[in-house]
């Protein structure tokens, strides 16, 4: 069923649809980042403020070099990705101009979840990824928790509950860290992996925290 699910989800995305899927943190909704109409659909689905950027999701670290200007060692990327971390870097010309047109930066996710990574590889381009919930509401850990969104989704991949549904920590989402300024880092959202992320950036790579 795994291959069929990846193929069905890739087909739905390539047809301009929105797909709900499990990640390593919370349930997400994805569309093709290079499809401007689908990106607009995600904003209307969530009732999201148009000024709030969407992250992109890739299958493998190598793809970062295509869509971002990377100014940190490759080893640093591989120490944090795949994992529950969003790295914010300067975007490259390759990325859809209609995705986050108001900023020169982009957040990149490579979730440590085989389904999402397989799907990103199958689409051979970035997915735009956001949490499966109405903006400003709690993140979701089961598909039944975002029932309100079902009618507007092309496909829902049920990967079962993610983490402990009773635990508020499990709903924190990824740790978002801005690495766009050489030698420095800024924590934009503490998320669920703050301590190990900061430890790697400071101890191993000597990056200096900028006060957000």
């Amino acid at each position: 069923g795994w291959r069929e699910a990846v193929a069905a989800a890739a087909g739905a995305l390539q047809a301009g649809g929105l797909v709900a899927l499990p990640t390593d943190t919370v349930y997400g909704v994805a569309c093709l980042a290079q499809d401007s109409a689908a990106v607009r659909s995600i904003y209307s689905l969530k009732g999201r403020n148009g000024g709030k950027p969407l992250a992109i999701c890739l299958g493998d670290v190598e793809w970062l070099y295509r869509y971002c200007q990377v100014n940190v060692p490759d080893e640093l990327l591989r120490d944090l990705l795949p994992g529950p971390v969003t790295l914010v870097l300067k975007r490259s010309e390759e990325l859809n101009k209609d995705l986050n047109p108001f900023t020169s930066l982009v957040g990149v996710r490579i979730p440590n979840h085989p389904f999402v990574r397989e799907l990103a590889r199958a689409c051979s381009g970035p997915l735009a990824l956001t949490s499966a919930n109405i903006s400003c509401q709690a993140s979701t850990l089961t598909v039944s928790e975002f029932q309100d969104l079902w009618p507007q989704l092309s496909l829902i991949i049920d990967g079962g509950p993610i983490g402990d549904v009773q635990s508020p920590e499990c709903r924190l989402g990824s740790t978002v860290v801005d690495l766009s300024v050489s030698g420095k880092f800024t924590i934009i959202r503490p998320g669920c992996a703050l301590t190990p992320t900061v430890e790697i950036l400071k101890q191993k790579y000597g990056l200096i925290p900028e006060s957000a």
Side-chain angles (χ1 to χ4, degrees):
W2 182 266
R3 284 234 161 83
E4 288 82 354
V6 170
L13 292 171
Q14 279 152 353
L18 306 182
V19 173
L21 39 73
T23 74
D24 53 354
T25 53
V26 295
Y27 269 87
V29 175
C31 74
L32 295 186
Q34 304 296 70
D35 180 339
S36 302
V39 168
R40 286 193 293 276
S41 299
I42 273 200
Y43 278 92
S44 71
L45 169 85
K46 287 183 58 103
R48 189 182 176 93
N49 164 355
K52 269 185 88 174
L54 290 173
I56 61 169
C57 166
L58 303 170
D60 297 286
V61 169
E62 297 77 70
W63 287 86
L64 259 87
Y65 294 91
R66 185 160 176 188
Y67 299 105
C68 306
Q69 297 170 31
V70 178
N71 58 346
V72 293
D74 189 69
E75 199 186 343
L76 183 157
L77 299 178
R78 292 172 192 279
D79 277 344
L80 295 176
L81 301 173
V85 183
T86 301
L87 300 184
V88 177
L89 297 161
K90 285 203 162 57
R91 57 193 286 156
S92 78
E93 291 297 308
E94 283 268 332
L95 199 57
N96 180 3
K97 304 282 185 290
D98 292 336
L99 182 83
N100 314 334
F102 43 82
T103 171
S104 59
L105 305 177
V106 66
V108 185
R109 276 277 270 136
I110 302 178
N112 191 13
H113 192 290
F115 183 83
V116 189
R117 295 185 66 195
E118 277 301 317
L119 180 57
R121 290 182 191 124
C123 292
S124 68
L127 307 178
L129 184 67
T130 180
S131 51
N133 56 346
I134 304 282
S135 269
C136 303
Q137 291 186 3
S139 302
T140 55
L141 300 175
T142 66
V143 294
S144 58
E145 289 180 346
F146 56 88
Q147 250 168 325
D148 307 1
L149 305 183
W150 289 4
Q152 296 166 74
L153 298 168
S154 302
L155 190 66
I156 297 161
I157 302 293
D158 188 348
I162 299 173
D164 175 4
V165 180
Q166 301 306 316
S167 156
E169 281 76 48
C170 281
R171 296 183 191 271
L172 290 174
S174 62
T175 295
V176 182
V177 55
D178 185 336
L179 296 176
S180 63
V181 178
S182 286
K184 302 197 169 160
F185 71 91
T186 305
I187 299 297
I188 295 174
R189 179 175 76 190
C192 63
L194 179 63
T195 307
T197 301
V198 167
E199 213 159 85
I200 286 171
L201 295 174
K202 280 165 78 167
Q203 311 302 339
K204 188 166 178 186
Y205 295 98
L207 297 190
I208 298 162
E210 268 203 297
S211 44

